[in-house]
Amino acid sequence: MSEKQPNGNIYDRFAQVMKQTRELVVNMEQLQAQITEVLEQNAELSIENDHLRRVIKKMKDQSGETKLSGSRQNLKELYQQGFHVCSEYFGKRLAPGESCAFCTDVIFGHDPDKAK
């Protein structure tokens, strides 16, 4: 089973395995560099994505309907159902198509939180 092989053949095989190992190490280093680059890019894009989401949310908040507190939202719903919410006529029915500047001022007027 064990044949004597010339020493030259063993050294040739050893040299070939060493060469393949070096090539494998070079390939692994290249892959590691590519993985690092992709991970860095992914982190940058994640940060940019979060920033853009905050900007979009801020723009929606500014351009969208005014954010009302829960109590003001309730007053708005009562007003839309046809009732006065102002202190002058509170609870009285609005005539069809009627609007009340006092009511809209109560609902959408001065917000103490925004004055700060």
Side-chain angles (χ1 to χ4, degrees):
M1 179 170 158
S2 127
E3 277 185 38
K4 286 268 185 179
Q5 296 182 359
N7 288 341
N9 191 15
I10 292 173
Y11 289 119
D12 290 342
R13 286 183 54 209
F14 183 75
Q16 183 182 10
V17 169
M18 288 295 291
K19 180 182 176 191
Q20 290 172 345
T21 304
R22 285 187 196 108
E23 290 173 356
L24 183 61
V25 168
V26 168
N27 285 335
M28 289 177 66
E29 288 172 345
Q30 289 173 346
L31 282 173
Q32 184 179 17
Q34 289 175 343
I35 288 171
T36 301
E37 184 180 335
V38 167
L39 291 175
E40 288 173 353
Q41 185 180 23
N42 187 27
E44 290 174 9
L45 291 173
S46 293
I47 292 168
E48 184 178 358
N49 194 10
D50 290 341
H51 174 73
L52 290 173
R53 285 181 187 192
R54 277 187 250 119
V55 168
I56 289 171
K57 184 177 187 279
K58 185 177 179 181
M59 289 174 61
K60 281 184 180 178
D61 289 346
Q62 289 175 352
S63 66
E65 188 173 305
T66 306
K67 296 278 184 177
L68 298 175
S69 65
S71 58
R72 288 183 184 227
Q73 186 64 39
N74 289 338
L75 291 174
K76 179 182 173 188
E77 289 173 17
L78 284 172
Y79 181 72
Q80 289 174 339
Q81 291 172 8
F83 295 97
H84 281 277
V85 293
C86 61
S87 59
E88 284 288 317
Y89 306 107
F90 186 81
K92 292 184 180 177
R93 270 265 186 218
L94 288 161
E98 178 187 11
S99 62
C100 176
F102 299 119
C103 291
T104 55
D105 190 46
V106 168
I107 298 168
F108 301 106
H110 176 67
D111 186 358
D113 292 337
K114 290 186 180 180
K116 291 180 182 177

